[in-house]
């Protein structure tokens, strides 16, 4: 009850010095809102990344060019060949499917409609491995690939963009100026891994490599193990097979890297940790600035209210009560700043989500708690010195103060 | 406990104070050898040098003296706002000079009410909140009714919702008195309470003191004005940190005081106490 009264008293003080109090809070507001919005963005991203990883099979491995080792001297980006996928199936008993991929941006045209979109050159296995089926027509086959046919399968969204409600199957489109026949439209899927596949156009791998891109390598190969339990063994087989295929001598590092869903998750976790450290450093700095701001205002307040302090002591306040009052006052300023900061931060994250339409944000309750906790801490730290100054005032001199 | 007073022009009820009977027939206030020395670098200022004084419960005492004679210093010591360099101070038989800060705070809160020349109200809060401050430090739960009652005693109930900046100087001082008496203290210490007010407004303040005193509150009032001093029933004169005159305010003295009030305080300082009041000079217990 006593503390409640004291808090009410300080609230009234803030009200009369509204502008000044707001300025004092500014540092805390900025610090807290930075933390809350960054945490919202971060946890939104983490949540989303986790979901994306779920759509990637736990029994799959991704083989990409490059060496896992950073100090590798010479890594060619063209090390992975389309034939490697066949070799994996042929020489690794634990690998039951492999889909080589080459990805690029392409211009897709139908009549007047023109779209820039993701183009994926791959093989038959892609559909079954990802459990991603055509809703209409058919997917590309081994035969389409072997014959280098100019066939394409449209993602759900791009089909709608180009053809509206009309059936796309059998129609002709131009991809980077070359004519293709639409043989199928895929089901609506959203994300596969980190790729938004609904706006993607799929063509046979050899057609893409030879007729569109003019290259002899692939960007990655997704391979599926017989069983999730056997994934590690399958990776060993794949590595041995690819080293043999690429004629890599013993003692020379791989010219490719293999990673699984779990490893990718760890990498992302490492990255987010770095992000978090940076974030908390920024938050820490702005909170220190906020604390200095509040301390400054509190010192001014103690000086301005010297007489008031004298009066309070004269009517029976103990020195301890004076200390408590100023400490609580600093905490009230800081916590109000904290609450405002939480609201501003969450709103900012929300706005960001609406503006960008890519970022998904999520304000976790822990962020709110942490922010308020920090604000209270800032209040104590910034209030203690001014409160001690008030505590040490001599009442007689305080009453005489002009 | 309210004591209606027949001859009270406002007819307002006045609360009886927290009178604690002094044990063993001792005075309520008993000061011996009270000394206060200020040290400023090498120089020392003897603001108070060995004051002896007894004041009984229910007295109405005024203290006069030239500027710098130590009146305020003495009031601060009586009000437990300061500690003497030497000497003892007993209040209701308790040795105040031995008390801890917290104990003294309790005495200030419960037994003493301060009224200042400059009112010293907190400007950002309403009259009623100003009056309630001592109750808050007394950890009272319900403060509103008591603060209202104190405002009623000083005749300002209708101004409870006003901030100090919205009322006149006299009204401000009445709010300050309400704050001083809200905890029903046995002593009210007033340091030049009418110093910032015109004489008519000052009269209203003094009327309130009269009523409080009639209801049993001990009043100790510092003033430069002889007309104000004449309202008390005992007059103390200080010079150079000492009490050099202490006399009951008889009708004769009152007349002289009122005359000197017309002629000016300087006359009183030089004449009254040295000639006609010489007989009461240096009256000791
Ligand atoms: N904090 C202090 N430091 C040094 N000297 C002080 C201090 N306070 C008071 N004094 C000195 O003590 C003496 C008594 O001061 P005090 O305020 O008690 O006088 P007073 O009688 O109340 O005067 P006035 O009528 O002007 O209010 C003065 O000489 C004053 O200068
Ligand atoms: Mg004085």
């Amino acid at each position: 009850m006593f503390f409640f009264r004291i808090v009410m008293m300080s609230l009234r003080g803030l009200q009369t010095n509204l502008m000044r109090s707001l300025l004092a809070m500014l540092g805390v507001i900025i610090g807290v809102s930075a933390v809350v919005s960054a945490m919202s963005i971060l946890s939104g991203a983490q949540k989303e990344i986790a979901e994306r990883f779920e759509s990637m099979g736990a029994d799959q491995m991704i083989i990409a060019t490059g060496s896992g080792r950073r100090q590798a001297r010479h890594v060619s980006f063209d090390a992975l060949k389309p034939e490697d996928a066949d070799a994996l199936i042929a020489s690794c008993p634990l690998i039951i499917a492999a889909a080589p991929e080459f990805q690029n941006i392409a211009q897709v045209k139908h009549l007047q409609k023109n779209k820039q979109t993701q183009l994926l050159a791959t093989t038959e296995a892609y559909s079954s491995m990802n459990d991603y089926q055509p809703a209409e027509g058919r997917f590309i086959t081994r035969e389409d690939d072997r014959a280098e046919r100019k066939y394409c399968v449209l993602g759900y969204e791009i089909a709608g963009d180009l053809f509206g409600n009309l059936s796309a199957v059998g129609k002709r489109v131009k991809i980077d100026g070359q004519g293709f026949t639409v043989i199928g439209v895929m089901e609506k899927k959203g994300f596969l891994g980190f790729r938004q596949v609904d706006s993607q156009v799929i063509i046979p791998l050899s057609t893409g490599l030879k007729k569109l891109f003019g290259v002899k390598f692939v960007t990655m190969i997704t391979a599926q193990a017989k069983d999730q339990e056997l994934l590690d063994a399958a990776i060993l087989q794949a590595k041995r097979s690819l080293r043999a295929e690429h004629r890599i001598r013993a003692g020379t590092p791989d010219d490719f890297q293999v990673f699984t869903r779990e490893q990718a998750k760890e990498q992302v976790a490492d990255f987010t940790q770095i992000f978090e450290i940076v974030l908390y450093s920024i938050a820490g700095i702005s909170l220190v600035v906020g604390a200095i701001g509040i301390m400054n205002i509190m010192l001014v307040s103690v000086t301005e209210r010297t007489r008031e302090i004298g009066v309070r002591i004269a009517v029976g306040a103990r020195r301890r009560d004076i200390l408590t009052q100023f400490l609580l006052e600093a905490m009230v300023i800081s916590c109000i700043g904290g609450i405002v900061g939480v609201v501003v931060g969450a709103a900012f994250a929300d706005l960001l989500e609406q503006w960008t339409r890519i970022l998904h944000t999520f304000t976790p309750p822990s962020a709110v708690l942490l922010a308020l906790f920090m604000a209270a801490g800032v209040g104590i730290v910034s209030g203690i010195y001014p409160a001690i100054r008030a505590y040490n005032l001599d009442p007689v001199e305080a009453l005489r103060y002009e | 406990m309210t004591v209606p007073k027949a001859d009270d022009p406002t007819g307002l009820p006045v609360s009886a104070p927290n009178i604690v009977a002094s044990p063993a027939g001792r005075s309520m206030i008993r000061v011996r050898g009270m000394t206060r020395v200020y040290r400023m670098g090498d120089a020392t200022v003897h603001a108070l040098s060995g004051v002896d004084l007894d004041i009984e419960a229910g007295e109405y005492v005024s203290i006069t003296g030239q500027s710098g004679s130590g009146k305020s210093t003495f009031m601060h010591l009586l009000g437990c706002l300061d500690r003497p360099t030497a000497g003892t101070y007993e209040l209701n038989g308790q040795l105040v000079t031995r008390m801890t800060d917290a104990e003294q705070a309790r005495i200030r809160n419960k037994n003493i009410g301060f009224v200042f020349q400059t009112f010293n109200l907190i400007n950002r809060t309403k009259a009623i909140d100003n009056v309630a401050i001592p109750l808050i430090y007394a950890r009272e739960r319900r403060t509103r009714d008591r603060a209202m009652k104190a405002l009623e005693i000083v005749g300002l109930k209708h101004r409870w919702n006003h901030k100090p900046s919205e009322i006149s100087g006299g009204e401000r001082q009445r709010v300050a008195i309400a704050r001083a008496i809200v905890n029903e203290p046995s002593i009210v210490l007033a340091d030049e309470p009418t110093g910032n007010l015109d004489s008519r407004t000052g009269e209203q303040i003094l009327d309130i003191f009269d009523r409080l005193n009639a209801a049993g509150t001990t009043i100790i009032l510092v003033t430069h004005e002889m007309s104000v001093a004449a309202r008390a029933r005992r007059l103390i004169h200080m010079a150079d940190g000492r009490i050099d005159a202490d006399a009951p305010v008889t009708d004769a003295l009152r007349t002289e005081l009122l005359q000197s009030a017309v002629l000016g305080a300087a006359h009183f300082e030089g004449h009254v106490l040295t000639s006609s009041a010489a007989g009461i000079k240096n009256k000791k217990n």
Side-chain angles (χ1 to χ4, degrees), chain A residues 61 63 81-100 123-126 128-129 142 221-226 234 237-239 241-242 245:
Chain A
M61 69 185 92
I63 303 159
K81 309 290 178 206
E83 305 82 59
D84 288 346
D86 300 324
L88 285 173
I89 307 269
S91 60
C92 307
L94 289 175
I95 291 177
I96 53 168
T123 61
E124 194 176 12
Y126 178 81
S128 52
M129 275 176 63
R142 184 165 284 277
I221 298 170
T222 311
Q224 185 163 357
K226 207 174 213 163
Q237 285 186 349
K239 282 186 171 168
S241 160
L242 286 176
E245 193 75 10

Side-chain angles (χ1 to χ4, degrees), chain A residues 397 400, chain B residues 38 40 45 47 66-73 192 224:
Chain A
E397 267 166 42
R400 227 199 302 261
Chain B
Y38 289 107
M40 305 184 75
V45 180
Q66 276 188 331
S67 186
S69 56
K71 303 181 297 293
S72 296
T73 304
E192 299 188 45
H224 279 122

Side-chain angles (χ1 to χ4, degrees), chain B residues 8 109 129 158:
Chain B
D8 176 10
N109 185 248
D129 296 319
H158 59 295

Side-chain angles (χ1 to χ4, degrees), chain A residues 16 61 79 84 87 120 140 142 179 305 316-317 329 354 366 370 372 380 387:
Chain A
T16 44
M61 69 185 92
D84 288 346
L120 175 69
I140 46 179
R142 184 165 284 277
R305 286 153 67 190
E329 209 164 306
Q354 285 179 26
S366 62
L370 178 78
L372 295 180
I380 293 175

Side-chain angles (χ1 to χ4, degrees), chain A residues 29 65 79 119 127 142 162 168 180 204 256 285 288 298-299 312 324 360:
Chain A
I29 293 177
T65 47
L119 184 63
S127 168
R142 184 165 284 277
L162 294 176
F180 278 75
F256 57 88
I285 291 166
V288 166
M298 289 308 297
L299 283 173
R312 287 181 185 277
T324 309
H360 291 271

Side-chain angles (χ1 to χ4, degrees), chain A residues 394 396-397 400, chain B residues 36-40 43-48 63-76 82 117 191-192 222-224 238 240-241:
Chain A
D394 172 53
V396 173
E397 267 166 42
R400 227 199 302 261
Chain B
R36 180 67 167 98
V37 180
Y38 289 107
R39 279 176 219 293
M40 305 184 75
T44 52
V45 180
H46 285 259
L48 220 58
I63 302 178
T64 61
Q66 276 188 331
S67 186
S69 56
K71 303 181 297 293
S72 296
T73 304
F74 190 42
M75 291 291 263
H76 293 142
D82 196 9
Q117 180 175 359
D191 195 347
E192 299 188 45
V222 168
T223 183
H224 279 122
M238 289 184 73
D240 296 330

